[in-house]
Amino acid sequence: GRLCYDCYENVRREEQGGGTLYGHHYKPVPHFLPNYKRGTLYLGVELEVDFLPTVSRTLSLFSAHPKYRVEFFTKEDGSLHNGGIEFVSHPATLAYHQQKFGWDNYCKMFHDQGGKSHYTDTCGVHVHFSREFFSDDAIEQDSCVLKMLYLMEEAFWDKFLNFSRRNPDKLNYTRPYMQKFKDMTQSQLDVLKGHGDRYRTINLQNFTTYEVRLFRGTLNHVTLLAAIELVDYMARLAKDMTSAHLHRWT
């Protein structure tokens, strides 16, 4: 039978020794690391890298890595230039990201291949986390993410923006909602979600995850881990603290 375009391109690249670059919409069955346990907070990272002089060589190096497809895979991204790759981790606990994932090695591999992430106008670090960590109930999930939006955009926006390293004039792919979240109702949140806009500080459109898109790209593994740690802390705070307590605290 005939191959779809993405499959054809992957076969062609592999025959040329270039490894696999999946299409932007590719979503494999997730590998939860180190293992799956219901109610655990898992975080998945999308690291965008641009301006690689030889994409095929970079792909071949990553495809030969023993953790390829176990810990991560590589995708295309339409917002990047011709030398761009999106490096995607499988969902993992914070401890796994910190102790076992090998971010220092992966970032060094991209750096050694001439890739750029921070020093571009195109790259970001996007951190997904599991909705079910908050609850199995969709309303409770939304209640928790409202607290995160309140912290990020209303209570501490200047600090979050500074931490993100983003230029405030270049937020096209991570725009703030510009809403008052402190007293937002479920119906008002439903209106926001109904707009279908993914390019926000926190993307609310995914079925199984929320996606924090605020962070600028980086090949510094310490900076990258700091972003993952911040999302982990925010999610736990939003789950454990009532709205009333959170508002008094801030």
Side-chain angles (χ1 to χ4, degrees):
R2 292 186 177 183
L3 295 174
C4 71
Y5 176 77
D6 285 345
C7 295
Y8 167 77
E9 284 295 296
N10 287 334
V11 169
R12 183 179 63 82
R13 287 190 184 96
E14 289 183 339
E15 287 176 345
Q16 295 173 354
T20 301
L21 188 65
Y22 292 103
H24 179 62
H25 296 291
Y26 173 72
K27 290 185 179 181
V29 175
H31 300 162
F32 292 92
L33 302 168
N35 48 55
Y36 177 74
K37 184 178 180 181
R38 191 169 187 80
T40 298
L41 178 55
Y42 296 98
L43 306 110
V45 180
E46 297 168 353
L47 169 62
E48 296 172 337
V49 182
D50 217 341
F51 299 108
L52 288 157
T54 310
V55 171
S56 60
R57 173 173 170 75
T58 303
L59 288 173
S60 67
L61 290 173
F62 277 104
S63 296
H65 196 283
K67 295 294 187 179
Y68 182 63
R69 292 194 180 98
V70 176
E71 285 190 345
F72 69 89
F73 53 96
T74 48
K75 293 171 57 174
E76 297 174 331
D77 189 299
S79 67
L80 304 178
H81 294 292
N82 288 331
I85 289 175
E86 184 173 88
F87 176 101
V88 186
S89 83
H90 280 284
T93 62
L94 177 61
Y96 193 97
H97 280 293
Q98 292 170 323
Q99 300 166 17
K100 295 184 178 181
F101 195 82
W103 281 112
D104 54 344
N105 179 45
Y106 300 142
C107 287
K108 185 177 185 299
M109 288 171 69
F110 275 123
H111 183 271
D112 290 348
Q113 291 301 304
K116 299 182 184 300
S117 191
H118 175 87
Y119 297 103
T120 73
D121 291 329
T122 54
C123 294
V125 171
H126 307 152
V127 183
H128 291 252
F129 66 95
S130 42
R131 282 174 173 258
E132 75 166 25
F133 168 71
F134 286 149
S135 172
D136 291 331
D137 180 74
I139 301 298
E140 183 61 29
Q141 292 171 3
D142 284 347
S143 174
C144 289
V145 83
L146 271 178
K147 298 176 205 174
M148 293 183 65
L149 284 165
Y150 166 75
L151 286 170
M152 181 180 289
E153 291 198 17
E154 200 169 342
F156 301 112
W157 173 245
D158 289 343
K159 291 181 173 58
F160 274 95
L161 186 61
N162 184 58
F163 183 91
S164 77
R165 298 165 289 109
R166 291 275 193 183
N167 183 330
D169 297 322
K170 296 181 179 180
L171 298 175
N172 293 344
Y173 291 101
T174 179
R175 298 188 303 278
Y177 287 95
M178 305 297 291
Q179 300 287 326
K180 295 294 184 182
F181 292 103
K182 183 175 180 179
D183 300 311
M184 181 171 283
T185 65
Q186 181 66 44
S187 60
Q188 290 171 324
L189 180 61
D190 288 341
V191 170
L192 281 187
K193 292 193 295 183
H195 291 164
D197 189 352
R198 308 177 65 86
Y199 300 125
R200 295 291 190 167
T201 51
I202 301 181
N203 170 21
L204 308 175
Q205 301 300 315
N206 296 323
F207 183 68
T208 59
T209 68
Y210 293 110
E211 177 191 16
V212 180
R213 298 179 54 87
L214 183 62
F215 311 113
R216 186 171 179 169
T218 183
L219 293 181
N220 182 322
H221 76 278
V222 175
T223 303
L224 179 60
L225 281 171
I228 301 170
E229 290 163 354
L230 179 60
V231 174
D232 183 276
Y233 178 76
M234 288 176 63
R236 294 182 187 279
L237 196 67
K239 180 177 180 178
D240 294 341
M241 193 174 286
T242 67
S243 295
H245 189 184
L246 190 69
H247 298 155
R248 288 196 301 271
W249 177 63
T250 57

